[in-house]
Amino acid sequence: MRTLLLTFLCAALLWPASRAWACASCACGDPTLTSMGGEQPFEGRLRLSTMLRAWGHTEGQTNVDAQRLRELRMDVAVAYAPRPWLVLAVNLPLQAREVRDVSLARERGWGLGDIDVSAKAFVWKDREFSPDHLVSVVGGVKLPTGPRLRARDGTALGLDAQPGSGSVDPMAGIAWQGFRGSWSFLATTLGFLPTRGREDFRLGASVRTSVAAQYQPSPRWAVRLGVDTRAEKAADTNGEPEAAGGGFIAYASPDVLFSPGMDVVLQAGVRVPFVNQLRRVSSTPIAQVSLAYDL
């Protein structure tokens, strides 16, 4: 995974320079640098992206019953706009997980995770060309495509070490995008309703919000600052709530976006928890880097 990240960064830095705005930006009348999921639609737009993310959390009390999870995850996604108002997307994750408890017992698992499919429909904009305001509705589902991993002796790894949950998890929400000169703004609210998966385990329902402001002084780079939140119900097994989890957490989310060449956007940032009201769960910052390319 480290080699993939190094190759990813080198390719972006060595991409031929260009003074022109990306063709996709010209086609939608908006030169704003955007990450995957924040782009404006135009019929036939095809965007590929990949994101590398590292994060972790610890459940329980240190030196008593703590269990630590660490994950390195790479997502590969494609989004296509068959109509000027509709964007369809598919996301496939590759995950490497390590779970360690207070006794130093450790489990490691890696492999393909569960595929996400989604659709975004733009239901309102203030004008047809280069709008200042866009409103969209989003719907999607996570499918149980991740295989069940086993240890060398044939026993199944624990649920936390598995890259997939074995459940079908729908989500839906609404988003707003605004543009004003060198500034752009984004606000989203998404609701997730997981179903029961392996070993009769079900993640708790959650509502996730994101608000962000971006300043772009040139066609080549931009800076963004956002706040991401998650309010969730505790997970349960056989209807019995888990001892850890459930509550509210908020992250400060600074990012830098850079366009090394036509139709390419490189983004790097971190998600730093500044409010944590999750029950018996402490979270690490989330480091991430992504690359998006419009064909």
Side-chain angles (χ1 to χ4, degrees):
M1 298 301 289
R2 292 178 180 174
T3 303
L4 285 173
L5 176 58
L6 182 59
T7 303
F8 179 87
L9 293 174
C10 289
L13 293 174
L14 293 175
W15 201 279
S18 172
R19 295 183 180 273
W21 283 343
C23 294
S25 297
C26 298
C28 65
D30 174 37
T32 305
L33 298 180
T34 57
S35 57
M36 188 72 168
E39 63 276 356
Q40 286 199 28
F42 63 87
E43 189 168 356
R45 183 170 198 167
L46 178 63
R47 170 170 275 203
L48 308 178
S49 75
T50 183
M51 175 184 290
L52 191 64
R53 196 166 22 178
W55 69 282
H57 69 234
T58 300
E59 296 182 359
Q61 186 177 348
T62 304
N63 299 326
V64 179
D65 59 351
Q67 178 177 276
R68 188 187 75 172
L69 167 67
R70 296 293 183 266
E71 179 183 79
L72 185 63
R73 170 175 173 147
M74 184 174 69
D75 291 87
V76 178
V78 57
Y80 177 66
R83 294 291 185 270
W85 53 270
L86 179 64
V87 178
L88 307 176
V90 179
N91 182 78
L92 175 64
L94 175 63
Q95 299 162 256
R97 286 189 159 199
E98 179 185 84
V99 179
R100 180 180 296 184
D101 64 26
V102 70
S103 69
L104 301 183
R106 182 173 61 186
E107 284 188 320
R108 287 178 173 173
W110 71 275
L112 294 176
D114 294 335
I115 289 178
D116 291 287
V117 294
S118 63
K120 176 187 284 189
F122 289 81
V123 296
W124 181 83
K125 55 185 174 181
D126 59 341
R127 58 174 177 260
E128 186 64 27
F129 185 75
S130 190
D132 290 332
H133 300 278
L134 287 166
V135 176
S136 58
V137 293
V138 184
V141 63
K142 181 178 72 67
L143 302 173
T145 57
R148 189 166 193 177
L149 302 182
R150 298 184 178 275
R152 292 182 179 178
D153 62 2
T155 59
L157 297 180
L159 289 175
D160 288 331
Q162 299 284 349
S165 64
S167 60
V168 178
D169 302 341
M171 71 88 172
I174 189 169
W176 167 79
Q177 293 165 254
F179 308 90
R180 192 176 186 87
S182 299
W183 290 87
S184 59
F185 307 91
L186 173 69
T188 64
T189 300
L190 299 174
F192 293 78
L193 190 62
T195 62
R196 205 164 293 280
R198 297 187 181 116
E199 300 180 24
D200 208 32
F201 177 82
R202 179 172 60 188
L203 288 171
S206 65
V207 175
R208 305 177 191 183
T209 68
S210 180
V211 294
Q214 177 176 307
Y215 176 64
Q216 183 176 332
S218 83
R220 299 295 294 274
W221 68 278
V223 292
R224 177 186 297 173
L225 180 61
V227 174
D228 300 305
T229 72
R230 185 178 80 246
E232 64 184 13
K233 185 180 178 181
D236 72 81
T237 301
N238 295 318
E240 292 295 324
E242 297 287 304
F248 176 83
I249 189 169
Y251 296 86
S253 306
D255 291 285
V256 176
L257 294 90
F258 175 65
S259 178
M262 184 178 295
D263 287 334
V264 181
V265 178
L266 175 67
Q267 179 176 346
V270 65
R271 307 291 179 260
V272 182
F274 68 93
V275 175
N276 186 359
Q277 296 180 347
L278 298 176
R279 185 177 56 179
R280 291 168 52 87
V281 176
S282 60
S283 297
T284 69
I286 304 170
Q288 61 185 50
V289 59
S290 65
L291 181 68
Y293 176 58
D294 284 288
L295 295 177

